[in-house]
Amino acid sequence: MGTTPTEVLAFPNIRAIVRDNGTAEVVVAGNSRVVPAGDSVQDLRNNALALVVGEAQTLQRPVRVQIEDPEGHGELIVHPDNKIESVSYEPRPARRRAEAPETTPETIAPTVIDTVPVAAPEPSAAPAQPTAAAAVKRQPWPPNPVETEPATETPAHSEAQPSAAAEEPQTTATVPEAPLTRRSLKETSFLVSAPVLEPATQGWRGALTRLGFRMDPSAEELSQREDIRTVSQHWPGPRTIAVVNRKGGANKTPTVVMLSAILARYSGAATVAWDNNESQGTLGWRTEKGSHARSVLDLIDSSTELLSPATNAAEIAKFVHHQTADKFDVLRSDENEEGDHEVTAEEVDIAHQVLTRYYRLVVMDSGNTARAANWRRMIDHTNQLVVPVTAIEDRAEAARLTLQTLESRGGHDAELARNAVVIVSESTDAKRSMTGDALKRAKDEAQRIADGFEPFVRAVVRIPYDPAMVNGPIRYEALQPATQRAWLAAAAAVAAGF
């Protein structure tokens, strides 16, 4: 490799010792390391070199090794890329074998050993592996001059190297006292970090597992587990989701219910669905009613008490409606018959401050007026935007205009639009009765709309038609399995933006 004696002097010194009694050690900066036992002297050599290669890789620089074994002694240069140079090797006369030639050169000319052994003492070399130890097994100890034909020609530059090596002063004193052993221990752990793969629970794989044949889960089951893991996280600080589309009938309220149900079920985090309609919304109609009739206006009126340090967390139950099956709460919009109050931006601030004290996740339903004060202030508090749309052209166009409006405002609003999740649901019309070609056309339209939004937002998820979503209170368990799976994927897409 063209290494000069001057360069060699700068390398850290290491000693590798193999003894007659079948033991070996590597000494680094005065710290001795026991070499793993082997069945032969060659095994001990390989194990010693594996430790030396590890030190070179740790230091990210070549190291000089003084080697001693029952057959002789010499010097090597070991590089971090597993290349090994033989600088010199002197045999011990007493250790020569009977078949050795009568004369051998005192030193071996420097050679470069890359990935193919020059003269392996043992023919059964292990195959190459992508580890330092395995790479060393293909690198022999310096060629034993007793077993190798004497060199007939020595390169010109080799004449100076043996004498330079012989006259070279010891450099051990110049090696910095780096705590290599302690550093190695610090970077080592006996703990298993890889998660244990649980056996299959679904389909025929799950059936065989229950019969006692442990089966790995399918790709679909692994995907579902990953979505569950995503929605089960607890994030530092509260998170607010806004569900928006300026067109009525775009599936906003069902989307709020399903996202709240899934996030509450899997994460266990306190979750509230808030109807932020400027007048009167329908979230209260599609969810379970509690033992009272209070709404967001009552919560705002009691905000001073609710924000007091002396108030306990259970007091919030006076103002929200708990969903006993799906484990989230609902804050209803104002439902007085006169409908003479519109929620202001300041009232949105107050309600949001109260809710984020008691809940980790706030999922906000919205009205249809993007210019309304409460709508715009909702956006100011939003961490993740969700745009629901059904497979109907005018509702898809309204969703596009909603995103365009936010993008044109720049700053936080534009970032929400770019990071939005669009949820495309097939029609929820109660009178829908489609078969054959009509059903195929509806699915094709849903796919066309989904494809149209994909380049402009972070994620697009499709939801199949489900009669349980059409009328009355919405329950997660009432949905068909395919619909449940699709909503889980939608919730995971939303949570991935937190």
Side-chain angles (χ1 to χ4, degrees), residues 94-156:
R95 298 295 181 182
R96 293 180 183 175
R97 297 179 182 176
E99 67 273 16
E102 295 182 358
T103 59
T104 53
E106 293 183 358
T107 60
I108 300 298
T111 58
V112 177
I113 305 172
D114 193 354
T115 56
V116 180
V118 176
E122 297 185 14
S124 57
Q129 299 292 335
T131 61
V136 167
K137 289 184 179 181
R138 297 186 62 182
Q139 315 280 3
W141 205 258
N144 190 339
V146 178
E147 302 180 47
T148 307
E149 293 295 329
T152 58
E153 182 177 354
T154 303

Side-chain angles (χ1 to χ4, degrees), residues 1-8 11 77 79 85 110-112 157 161:
M1 294 183 65
T3 304
T4 66
T6 304
E7 293 172 334
V8 172
F11 296 163
I77 297 175
H79 296 261
E85 294 180 61
T111 58
V112 177
H157 69 275
Q161 288 189 354

Side-chain angles (χ1 to χ4, degrees), residues 1 41 45 86 92 104 159 173 197 312 333 352 357 449:
M1 294 183 65
V41 171
R45 291 168 173 169
S86 173
R92 299 183 190 279
T104 53
E159 298 177 1
L197 180 65
N312 62 59
S333 62
H352 189 266
R357 175 179 174 181
I449 292 172

